[in-house]
Amino acid sequence: MSHRFLKKNILCMLVAPLLLAACGKEPEFDRNFKKSCEATSNGNASFCKCALGVVQKNVKPDSLPALSSADIERLAPAIVKTCTAR
């Protein structure tokens, strides 16, 4: 799988749960993130858990619901590097 394709899929995986969690708390964000990620990554739960960890490491919990697609796009290289190297 090419990095460009993977980056695009990561962006799609991450934007949907962010929108769903816009008014929620962090645990709801986590659930929505994992659910959406797993749905778009053929159930790759370990990748999604890793991707969520990268997001949480780079974004303050209070800011998670307000993330934009541009924010996610900036995190995509770190997600690819961290989560595909396993």
Side-chain angles (χ1 to χ4, degrees), residues 3-22 29-30 32-34 36-37 40 47-48 50-61 63-81 83:
H3 285 289
R4 185 177 197 165
F5 179 75
L6 189 56
K7 184 177 177 182
K8 182 178 178 182
N9 279 343
I10 289 170
L11 179 61
C12 292
M13 286 188 295
L14 301 179
V15 170
L18 295 174
L19 296 174
L20 292 172
F29 173 87
D30 294 358
N32 289 335
F33 182 95
K34 290 175 187 173
S36 179
C37 179
T40 58
F47 175 83
C48 295
C50 177
L52 178 60
V54 172
V55 171
Q56 291 173 330
K57 211 181 239 185
N58 289 282
V59 179
K60 294 178 183 177
S63 300
L64 287 173
L67 286 179
S68 69
S69 58
D71 297 325
I72 296 300
E73 192 170 334
R74 284 191 292 274
L75 291 174
I79 293 169
V80 169
K81 182 178 179 182
C83 301

